[in-house]
C-alpha cells in the first residue's frame, strides 16, 4: 500500500534525507581528525544514529511510491577540517542542517500524512540533532550551548 504525502511534505522529507546523507559522510570524514576517546566514541555513536535516520527516511519515501534521493559522492564542508576543534565545529553545522531539514518536515506535514511514521521520525531526528549539537557546543566550550528554537532558519 502506498502512503500519500503532500508535495510540500515530500519535498521537505527529501531535503531531510539529503541532510542525513551529508551528516553520515561528514561524521565518517571527521574520524580522521578526532583523537580524544570520548570524542571518537561520540562520533561513532552519532554516525550510527544518522545512518538509522537515513535508512528510516529512505523507507518512508519508498512507502509513498517515490524514489529517495541518493547520497552525493562527496560534500562541501562549511570550513576546512584540520584538527579536532575544527571537526567539532563542522559537526555542529551538520547537526544544525539536520535540524532545519527535520523541522521543515514537521512544518510541512500533518499528523495523518503518510501515516504516523513521517512525523514521528521527524520529531525524533530533530530532537536528537538538537541534543547532539548542544553536546558538541558544550565540548567546544560555546555559550550558549543550546538553541532556543532548534531548526529554525
Amino acid at each position: 500500500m502506498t502512503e500519500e504525502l503532500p508535495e510540500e511534505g515530500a519535498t521537505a522529507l527529501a531535503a531531510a534525507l539529503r541532510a542525513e546523507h551529508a551528516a553520515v559522510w561528514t561524521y565518517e570524514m571527521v574520524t580522521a581528525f578526532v583523537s580524544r576517546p570520548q570524542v571518537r566514541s561520540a562520533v561513532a555513536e552519532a554516525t550510527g544514529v544518522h545512518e538509522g535516520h537515513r535508512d528510516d527516511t529512505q523507507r518512508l519515501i519508498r512507502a509513498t511510491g517515490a524514489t529517495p534521493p541518493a547520497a552525493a559522492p562527496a560534500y562541501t564542508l562549511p570550513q576546512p577540517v584540520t584538527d579536532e576543534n575544527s571537526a567539532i565545529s563542522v559537526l555542529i553545522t551538520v547537526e544544525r542542517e539536520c535540524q532545519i531539514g527535520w523541522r521543515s518536515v514537521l512544518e510541512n506535514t500533518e499528523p495523518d500524512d503518510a501515516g504516523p511514521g513521517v512525523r514521528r521520525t521527524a520529531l525524533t531526528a530533530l530532537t536528537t540533532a538538537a541534543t547532539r549539537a548542544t553536546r558538541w557546543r558544550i565540548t567546544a566550550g560555546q555559550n550558549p550551548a543550546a538553541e532556543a528554537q532548534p531548526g529554525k532558519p
Side-chain angles (χ1 to χ4, degrees):
M1 181 170 127
T2 302
E3 301 285 346
E4 295 207 18
L5 190 61
E7 184 176 342
E8 298 84 11
T11 299
L13 193 58
L17 176 56
R18 286 185 194 94
E20 291 296 342
H21 282 314
V24 169
W25 184 89
T26 303
Y27 269 95
E28 289 174 351
M29 189 278 302
V30 303
T31 59
F33 296 92
V34 296
S35 56
R36 290 183 286 168
Q38 66 271 29
V39 174
R40 291 187 75 73
S41 176
V43 166
E45 178 185 348
T47 302
V49 171
H50 282 293
E51 288 170 340
H53 292 319
R54 176 202 60 200
D55 296 348
D56 290 345
T57 306
Q58 289 173 328
R59 279 190 288 279
L60 288 169
I61 291 173
R62 285 189 189 99
T64 69
T67 301
Y75 294 87
T76 302
L77 299 174
Q79 69 184 54
V81 176
T82 57
D83 59 14
E84 190 169 277
N85 289 335
S86 60
I88 291 171
S89 180
V90 166
L91 295 177
I92 292 168
T93 301
V94 163
E95 294 298 346
R96 176 93 175 109
E97 292 300 316
C98 288
Q99 290 171 52
I100 291 168
W102 289 114
R103 184 179 176 128
S104 180
V105 171
L106 290 171
E107 291 173 345
N108 288 287
T109 58
E110 297 295 327
D112 56 348
D113 289 344
V118 172
R119 291 179 62 84
R120 186 177 315 125
T121 297
L123 182 58
T124 299
L126 172 61
T127 303
T128 58
T131 302
R132 194 172 305 103
T134 299
R135 289 179 183 152
W136 287 130
R137 286 187 199 97
I138 291 168
T139 301
Q142 293 182 10
N143 195 9
E147 293 182 314
Q149 296 182 23
K152 186 171 184 176

